[in-house]
Amino acid sequence: MIRLAMAAHTPVAAGLWIDGRSVSARSGQSAPVLNPATGEILARVAQAGPEDVDAAVAAARRSWERGDWRRATVAERARVLLRLAERIREEAEELAALESRNVGKPIAEARGEVEMGAACFQYYAGLIPAFGGRTVPLSAPGTGLTFREPVGVCGLIVPWNFPFAITTWKVSPALALGNSVVVKPASATPLSALRLAELAAEAGLPPGVLNVVPGPGGAAGSALARHPDVRKISFTGSTEVGSEVMRTAAGDVKRVSLELGGKSASLIFADADLEKAGASVSGSFGNAGQDCCARSRVLVERPVYEEVVERFVARVQALRVGDPQNAATEIGSLISPSHRDKVDGWVRRGVAEGATLCTGGRPLAGDPFDRGSFYAPAVFRDVTPGMAIAQEEIFGPVVSLLPFDTEEEAIRLANGTIYGLSGSLWTRDVGRALRVVRAIETGVISVNTSWSVHLEMPFGGVKRSGVGRELGPSALDHYSEWKSVFIADS
Ligand code: NAP
């Protein structure tokens, strides 16, 4: 349905996905979903309210009680997940185009994210045969056994910046273990999650195991976080909303994992290969900086500060901003005019606080920019650590370059925000690399690269960047419970 409409460039009416089929919202309400790069209406999507969330949770609960997924053998579950990975790859080009058009992101980035989504299902299909409990030696006369059991109905709340990838990060470990799920995509970007649900049904997932309820966060998301039959909430989004979700979910003591905001730093030491460190630009401006891992602060050792600023600005000025459907484009549109204005507001504040804007920092005009929310990538220098642009998550193409004099100062600056999600450091000194990675308060850090997300390793943050980890084997812990069994000898 969504595929045909996308191919024809005709807006489609899309429903909620509940119990294995597309349905209208109980209220009959729907909302337009736009291509932020062109303003084109891609679809009108049904808007779930609390009563639709009730229906989705009830469908998930029925599937859980029926047990055809939860009690399926690991081989059967792995077969469906592998078939789903295959279906995603078969439809990869269409899914990437859909994601690129719905988020305004470059098609090259969207292709990588779709492949990561397929690989995620494949990865967890491969892990589950080895995931289980064990026998436990006891001091009591008898046998101790542990089981790893699925949690039940899980509510998965997803943001708009990587809608397909983040949906798969949550759905794949949850389904692999036999849980039933209700996904609440971001209002701006529900299409790839709805398409995933169609593909999952084609791959053989029983009805009700995967439900998708697009709708306003304050209504649909909040109803999911509050629902008494939801046992776990996995939320990715802003720190502010994440903290509210945590409070809501505390009402009936749900399990909660949160992947939240960031203000990550890239630390460039004077001994680094500065040519290579130039790649830190991609770590700052990927997805137009609308990336929780964006290295929005670049900390540079003073002897090379001027040289790095010069190289960095030159690289940023060479970034190709434009039509997301063009394979050469590196920066597409921001998600909406209001988000672009918010980003611009941060830039104006940086200027007012006395930072020097070296390049960019304004909405782009002319063709094709006038139809979307394009923004010239901005680089600030002469930023001091207390300035708002050095502390707050801007979530756009805006970077601050700050100098430091010693390793201790670099660590202090890197740790000097409320966040702790990601980061990079650039040095040729292995001893320093090990000292600094240990000293930085963060969930993820990379050395001599900006690449920080690997599906085989835990991903998530410390401090106000979140609680819990996605990806890697440890994600399975978040979607399972331990059960301890004691069998007496006599
Ligand atoms: P957001 O405003 O916090 O929204 C995230 C999701 O929560 C959306 O689906 C939203 O629905 C929903 N929501 C809103 N209010 C809610 C409520 N009261 N109860 C339950 N759900 C609610 O975040 P965003 O603007 O979409 O995404 C940007 C943020 O996500 C940034 O802060 C970024 O750093 C963070 N992020 C973190 C990670 C990570 O892994 N740590 C990854 C990606 C993004 P609506 O769309 O309908 O408002």
Side-chain angles (χ1 to χ4, degrees):
M1 178 78 158
I2 288 173
R3 180 165 65 102
L4 292 178
M6 291 302 131
H9 284 248
T10 312
V12 62
L16 315 172
W17 188 268
I18 297 179
D19 215 4
R21 64 198 181 92
S22 183
V23 298
S24 304
R26 300 291 199 272
S27 65
Q29 285 189 349
S30 66
V33 170
L34 305 177
N35 177 338
T38 62
E40 164 197 20
I41 296 180
L42 298 174
R44 284 203 71 88
V45 176
Q47 295 296 287
E51 63 285 7
D52 302 293
V53 171
D54 279 350
V57 173
R61 173 95 201 220
R62 279 195 304 278
S63 74
W64 171 261
E65 283 166 0
R66 215 170 50 229
D68 50 0
W69 181 247
R70 140 170 94 103
R71 294 205 196 92
T73 64
V74 282
E76 286 162 11
R77 270 187 267 128
R79 209 166 14 248
V80 172
L81 297 185
L82 291 173
R83 175 75 188 125
L84 177 53
E86 201 180 311
R87 287 293 294 124
I88 292 170
R89 291 198 170 108
E90 285 164 1
E91 304 292 335
E93 205 42 41
E94 166 242 325
L95 272 165
L98 181 64
E99 192 78 335
S100 167
R101 289 174 66 199
N102 194 182
V103 186
K105 67 170 67 202
I107 185 74
E109 290 187 20
R111 285 187 180 123
E113 291 159 28
V114 168
E115 170 49 32
M116 191 188 193
C120 216
F121 284 101
Q122 193 177 342
Y123 175 71
Y124 286 106
L127 280 193
I128 46 173
F131 185 77
R134 60 192 188 98
T135 55
V136 186
L138 299 174
S139 51
T143 304
L145 299 173
T146 55
F147 292 91
R148 307 300 301 268
E149 298 188 335
V151 175
V153 177
C154 303
L156 313 178
I157 304 177
V158 178
W160 51 258
N161 60 338
F162 298 107
F164 186 74
I166 292 177
T167 300
T168 65
W169 297 1
K170 296 181 189 302
V171 168
S172 57
L175 294 190
L177 291 177
N179 295 286
S180 293
V181 305
V182 178
V183 178
K184 208 305 273 178
S187 292
T189 57
L191 300 180
S192 56
L194 290 167
R195 185 74 183 113
L196 178 71
E198 291 175 350
L199 294 176
E202 289 169 27
L205 191 72
V209 176
L210 166 59
N211 306 276
V212 183
V213 287
S222 169
L224 196 56
R226 184 174 300 110
H227 202 293
D229 286 341
V230 173
R231 300 254 176 90
K232 180 201 161 68
I233 290 287
S234 172
F235 171 89
T236 301
S238 60
T239 297
E240 191 188 358
V241 175
S243 137
E244 187 183 332
V245 164
M246 197 176 201
R247 277 194 298 276
T248 306
D252 56 3
V253 198
K254 287 184 192 8
R255 294 163 139 248
V256 176
S257 47
L258 304 171
E259 300 287 344
L260 309 176
K263 189 71 185 175
S264 299
S266 188
L267 283 65
I268 302 180
F269 287 91
D271 71 339
D273 176 339
L274 295 188
E275 188 50 37
K276 208 168 162 192
S280 64
V281 167
S282 65
S284 303
F285 291 101
N287 210 40
Q290 301 167 124
D291 177 354
C292 52
C293 290
R295 277 48 159 189
S296 50
R297 296 178 298 150
V298 178
L299 313 179
V300 189
E301 198 164 4
R302 200 172 304 270
V304 293
Y305 182 73
E306 294 302 332
E307 183 180 351
V308 168
V309 171
E310 197 178 313
R311 283 172 180 252
F312 197 91
V313 169
R315 279 209 183 215
V316 171
Q317 287 171 337
L319 287 171
R320 288 181 293 263
V321 185
D323 176 6
Q325 300 304 306
N326 182 335
T329 294
E330 293 167 290
I331 301 209
S333 171
L334 301 190
I335 190 69
S336 64
S338 64
H339 187 61
R340 181 197 52 201
D341 293 348
K342 205 164 133 194
V343 168
D344 195 48
W346 283 113
V347 170
R348 305 277 73 82
R349 183 155 171 194
V351 171
E353 282 182 318
T356 305
L357 184 59
C358 303
T359 187
R362 64 186 187 299
L364 287 166
D367 188 50
F369 304 130
D370 286 340
R371 284 175 281 141
S373 299
F374 294 87
Y375 198 79
V379 180
F380 276 111
R381 60 169 296 162
D382 307 321
V383 178
T384 56
M387 288 181 183
I389 54 168
Q391 289 293 323
E392 306 282 343
E393 183 185 45
I394 297 174
F395 218 57
V398 182
V399 171
S400 297
L401 274 68
L402 294 84
F404 66 84
D405 288 301
T406 62
E407 190 177 300
E408 293 66 33
E409 186 189 4
I411 292 166
R412 199 170 55 248
L413 288 175
N415 288 340
T417 75
I418 59 171
Y419 299 108
L421 184 57
S422 189
S424 292
L425 70 105
W426 307 78
T427 178
R428 288 186 168 104
D429 179 338
V430 178
R432 162 178 285 153
L434 287 171
R435 277 195 307 276
V436 175
V437 296
R438 288 199 188 101
I440 294 198
E441 296 169 332
T442 182
V444 179
I445 187 155
S446 318
V447 179
N448 294 329
T449 173
S450 293
W451 192 356
S452 49
V453 182
H454 300 269
L455 67 87
E456 302 85 355
M457 288 211 287
F459 173 76
V462 301
K463 296 159 62 181
R464 290 194 209 173
S465 288
V467 178
R469 294 291 181 272
E470 297 200 297
L471 300 177
S474 57
L476 294 174
D477 296 333
H478 291 289
Y479 292 101
S480 60
E481 297 280 10
W482 286 100
K483 182 179 279 175
S484 297
V485 179
F486 174 62
I487 304 170
D489 276 351
S490 54

